Amino acid sequence: SPNMAEHGPAVTFEPLEDGVFDRTTAVCLGTGRFLRAVLVPALVELGGEVILAQTRGTSFGAYMGARKPSRSYEVDTVLQDGR
């Protein structure tokens, strides 16, 4: 995977963009719906720079890698009226 590096028995995360650790304010371990739809938008609105680290699988990392240079992703939402 382009965003993971093998180092012996451990796997470490590599960001999709160089230099991102210099400006990061939060690292979220996981890429679940709550993080993507609630927590990350709130942190970004407050001016934060967020890294999402996918702990199982590679699908979200591959999805984001294919969207470069865009750093956005789609989120399904349901309004209060159910639409």
Side-chain angles (χ1 to χ4, degrees):
S1 166
N3 62 334
M4 299 178 87
E6 298 263 353
H7 295 285
V11 176
T12 59
F13 293 96
E14 294 179 10
L16 294 175
E17 180 184 322
D18 291 333
V20 73
F21 286 122
D22 296 334
R23 60 182 191 274
T24 299
T25 55
V27 176
C28 296
L29 299 179
T31 57
R33 286 187 188 123
F34 174 78
L35 289 172
R36 292 185 323 231
V38 178
L39 183 60
V40 170
L43 292 171
V44 170
E45 186 66 26
L46 293 171
E49 184 79 24
V50 180
I51 292 176
L52 290 170
Q54 184 173 8
T55 56
R56 292 180 290 186
T58 59
S59 60
F60 188 72
Y63 169 75
M64 291 302 293
R67 294 182 60 81
K68 285 171 73 174
S70 172
R71 296 175 0 163
S72 63
Y73 52 87
E74 294 182 12
V75 175
D76 293 330
T77 57
V78 178
L79 301 176
Q80 290 177 343
D81 62 4
R83 294 183 194 177

Short mmCIF file of all heavy atoms in Angstrom, two decimals, residues 4 9 11-13 17 19 27 34-35 38-39 46 49-50 52 54 56 58 60 63 69-70 73 77:
data_model
loop_
_atom_site.label_atom_id
_atom_site.label_comp_id
_atom_site.label_asym_id
_atom_site.label_seq_id
_atom_site.Cartn_x
_atom_site.Cartn_y
_atom_site.Cartn_z
N MET A 4 1.53 2.82 3.76
CA MET A 4 1.95 2.02 4.89
C MET A 4 3.33 1.44 4.58
O MET A 4 3.64 1.09 3.46
CB MET A 4 0.97 0.89 5.17
CG MET A 4 -0.41 1.39 5.53
SD MET A 4 -1.57 0.06 5.80
CE MET A 4 -1.24 -0.23 7.52
N PRO A 9 7.93 -6.92 12.18
CA PRO A 9 6.57 -7.36 12.46
C PRO A 9 5.56 -6.22 12.61
O PRO A 9 4.37 -6.45 12.68
CB PRO A 9 6.72 -8.11 13.78
CG PRO A 9 7.89 -7.47 14.43
CD PRO A 9 8.82 -7.08 13.31
N VAL A 11 3.73 -2.47 11.51
CA VAL A 11 3.36 -1.66 10.36
C VAL A 11 3.26 -0.22 10.84
O VAL A 11 2.63 0.06 11.85
CB VAL A 11 2.01 -2.12 9.77
CG1 VAL A 11 1.58 -1.20 8.63
CG2 VAL A 11 2.09 -3.54 9.28
N THR A 12 3.89 0.70 10.14
CA THR A 12 3.82 2.11 10.50
C THR A 12 3.06 2.87 9.43
O THR A 12 2.98 2.44 8.29
CB THR A 12 5.23 2.73 10.65
OG1 THR A 12 5.92 2.59 9.42
CG2 THR A 12 6.01 2.04 11.76
N PHE A 13 2.52 4.00 9.81
CA PHE A 13 1.74 4.81 8.88
C PHE A 13 2.61 5.88 8.27
O PHE A 13 3.43 6.49 8.94
CB PHE A 13 0.56 5.47 9.61
CG PHE A 13 -0.46 4.50 10.09
CD1 PHE A 13 -0.43 4.03 11.38
CD2 PHE A 13 -1.45 4.05 9.25
CE1 PHE A 13 -1.37 3.13 11.83
CE2 PHE A 13 -2.39 3.14 9.67
CZ PHE A 13 -2.35 2.68 10.97
N GLU A 17 0.84 12.97 2.16
CA GLU A 17 1.43 14.24 1.75
C GLU A 17 2.66 14.52 2.61
O GLU A 17 2.60 14.42 3.84
CB GLU A 17 0.39 15.35 1.95
CG GLU A 17 0.85 16.71 1.57
CD GLU A 17 -0.21 17.75 1.89
OE1 GLU A 17 -1.40 17.47 1.71
OE2 GLU A 17 0.17 18.85 2.31
N GLY A 19 5.40 16.47 4.77
CA GLY A 19 5.36 17.64 5.63
C GLY A 19 4.10 17.82 6.45
O GLY A 19 3.96 18.79 7.18
N VAL A 27 -4.43 13.32 15.38
CA VAL A 27 -4.32 12.07 14.64
C VAL A 27 -5.45 11.18 15.12
O VAL A 27 -5.54 10.87 16.31
CB VAL A 27 -2.96 11.37 14.87
CG1 VAL A 27 -2.93 10.02 14.16
CG2 VAL A 27 -1.82 12.25 14.40
N PHE A 34 -18.24 8.03 12.42
CA PHE A 34 -18.28 9.11 13.41
C PHE A 34 -17.10 10.05 13.23
O PHE A 34 -17.27 11.27 13.22
CB PHE A 34 -18.29 8.55 14.84
CG PHE A 34 -18.17 9.63 15.88
CD1 PHE A 34 -19.28 10.39 16.22
CD2 PHE A 34 -16.96 9.90 16.49
CE1 PHE A 34 -19.18 11.40 17.16
CE2 PHE A 34 -16.85 10.91 17.43
CZ PHE A 34 -17.96 11.66 17.77
N LEU A 35 -15.91 9.50 13.08
CA LEU A 35 -14.73 10.34 12.89
C LEU A 35 -14.85 11.18 11.63
O LEU A 35 -14.63 12.39 11.65
CB LEU A 35 -13.47 9.47 12.80
CG LEU A 35 -13.03 8.83 14.09
CD1 LEU A 35 -11.89 7.85 13.83
CD2 LEU A 35 -12.58 9.88 15.10
N VAL A 38 -18.39 13.56 11.95
CA VAL A 38 -18.63 14.45 13.08
C VAL A 38 -17.34 15.07 13.62
O VAL A 38 -17.18 16.28 13.65
CB VAL A 38 -19.37 13.70 14.22
CG1 VAL A 38 -19.58 14.60 15.42
CG2 VAL A 38 -20.70 13.15 13.72
N LEU A 39 -16.41 14.24 14.05
CA LEU A 39 -15.23 14.74 14.74
C LEU A 39 -14.29 15.52 13.80
O LEU A 39 -13.90 16.65 14.12
CB LEU A 39 -14.47 13.59 15.40
CG LEU A 39 -13.25 14.01 16.22
CD1 LEU A 39 -13.65 14.96 17.34
CD2 LEU A 39 -12.54 12.80 16.76
N LEU A 46 -12.47 24.30 13.50
CA LEU A 46 -11.74 25.03 14.54
C LEU A 46 -10.32 25.39 14.10
O LEU A 46 -9.55 25.95 14.88
CB LEU A 46 -11.68 24.21 15.83
CG LEU A 46 -13.03 24.00 16.52
CD1 LEU A 46 -12.88 22.98 17.65
CD2 LEU A 46 -13.56 25.32 17.05
N GLU A 49 -5.65 20.65 11.65
CA GLU A 49 -5.21 19.79 10.55
C GLU A 49 -5.23 18.37 11.09
O GLU A 49 -4.62 18.07 12.12
CB GLU A 49 -3.79 20.17 10.12
CG GLU A 49 -3.27 19.42 8.94
CD GLU A 49 -3.80 19.94 7.61
OE1 GLU A 49 -4.19 21.11 7.54
OE2 GLU A 49 -3.82 19.16 6.66
N VAL A 50 -5.96 17.47 10.43
CA VAL A 50 -6.24 16.15 10.98
C VAL A 50 -5.70 15.05 10.06
O VAL A 50 -5.83 15.13 8.85
CB VAL A 50 -7.76 15.94 11.15
CG1 VAL A 50 -8.07 14.57 11.73
CG2 VAL A 50 -8.34 17.03 12.04
N LEU A 52 -6.16 11.00 9.38
CA LEU A 52 -6.96 9.81 9.63
C LEU A 52 -6.09 8.60 9.33
O LEU A 52 -5.64 8.42 8.20
CB LEU A 52 -8.20 9.77 8.73
CG LEU A 52 -9.27 10.80 9.03
CD1 LEU A 52 -10.32 10.81 7.93
CD2 LEU A 52 -9.91 10.50 10.36
N GLN A 54 -5.96 4.68 9.09
CA GLN A 54 -6.79 3.48 9.00
C GLN A 54 -6.03 2.33 9.65
O GLN A 54 -4.93 1.98 9.24
CB GLN A 54 -7.11 3.16 7.55
CG GLN A 54 -8.05 1.99 7.41
CD GLN A 54 -8.52 1.77 5.97
OE1 GLN A 54 -8.03 2.41 5.06
NE2 GLN A 54 -9.46 0.89 5.80
N ARG A 56 -7.19 -0.90 10.17
CA ARG A 56 -7.43 -2.22 9.56
C ARG A 56 -7.72 -2.02 8.08
O ARG A 56 -8.51 -1.16 7.72
CB ARG A 56 -8.61 -2.92 10.22
CG ARG A 56 -8.32 -3.33 11.65
CD ARG A 56 -9.51 -4.01 12.23
NE ARG A 56 -10.56 -2.98 12.41
CZ ARG A 56 -11.71 -3.19 13.00
NH1 ARG A 56 -12.02 -4.37 13.44
NH2 ARG A 56 -12.58 -2.22 13.13
N THR A 58 -6.92 -1.35 3.94
CA THR A 58 -6.28 -0.26 3.19
C THR A 58 -7.26 0.52 2.32
O THR A 58 -6.85 1.39 1.56
CB THR A 58 -5.16 -0.83 2.29
OG1 THR A 58 -5.73 -1.78 1.39
CG2 THR A 58 -4.05 -1.48 3.11
N PHE A 60 -9.66 2.89 2.78
CA PHE A 60 -9.79 4.34 2.91
C PHE A 60 -8.51 5.04 2.45
O PHE A 60 -8.56 6.06 1.76
CB PHE A 60 -10.14 4.74 4.34
CG PHE A 60 -10.46 6.20 4.47
CD1 PHE A 60 -11.64 6.72 3.96
CD2 PHE A 60 -9.58 7.07 5.09
CE1 PHE A 60 -11.94 8.07 4.05
CE2 PHE A 60 -9.87 8.42 5.20
CZ PHE A 60 -11.05 8.92 4.69
N TYR A 63 -8.55 4.99 -1.26
CA TYR A 63 -9.56 5.95 -1.73
C TYR A 63 -9.00 7.37 -1.69
O TYR A 63 -9.11 8.13 -2.65
CB TYR A 63 -10.81 5.82 -0.87
CG TYR A 63 -11.83 6.92 -1.06
CD1 TYR A 63 -12.65 6.95 -2.17
CD2 TYR A 63 -11.99 7.91 -0.09
CE1 TYR A 63 -13.60 7.96 -2.34
CE2 TYR A 63 -12.93 8.91 -0.25
CZ TYR A 63 -13.73 8.93 -1.38
OH TYR A 63 -14.66 9.92 -1.53
N PRO A 69 -4.93 15.61 -5.80
CA PRO A 69 -4.50 16.39 -4.66
C PRO A 69 -5.63 16.81 -3.72
O PRO A 69 -5.39 17.46 -2.72
CB PRO A 69 -3.84 17.62 -5.28
CG PRO A 69 -4.65 17.85 -6.51
CD PRO A 69 -5.02 16.45 -7.00
N SER A 70 -6.86 16.45 -4.05
CA SER A 70 -7.98 16.80 -3.16
C SER A 70 -7.83 16.08 -1.83
O SER A 70 -7.42 14.93 -1.78
CB SER A 70 -9.31 16.38 -3.81
OG SER A 70 -10.37 16.53 -2.89
N TYR A 73 -13.49 14.08 1.18
CA TYR A 73 -14.14 12.79 0.99
C TYR A 73 -15.63 12.99 1.17
O TYR A 73 -16.09 13.93 1.80
CB TYR A 73 -13.61 11.75 1.99
CG TYR A 73 -13.64 12.20 3.43
CD1 TYR A 73 -14.78 12.02 4.20
CD2 TYR A 73 -12.55 12.81 4.01
CE1 TYR A 73 -14.82 12.45 5.52
CE2 TYR A 73 -12.57 13.23 5.32
CZ TYR A 73 -13.71 13.04 6.07
OH TYR A 73 -13.75 13.46 7.37
N THR A 77 -25.18 11.77 4.79
CA THR A 77 -25.83 12.33 5.98
C THR A 77 -27.33 12.15 5.89
O THR A 77 -27.88 11.99 4.81
CB THR A 77 -25.52 13.84 6.10
OG1 THR A 77 -25.96 14.50 4.92
CG2 THR A 77 -24.05 14.09 6.31
#
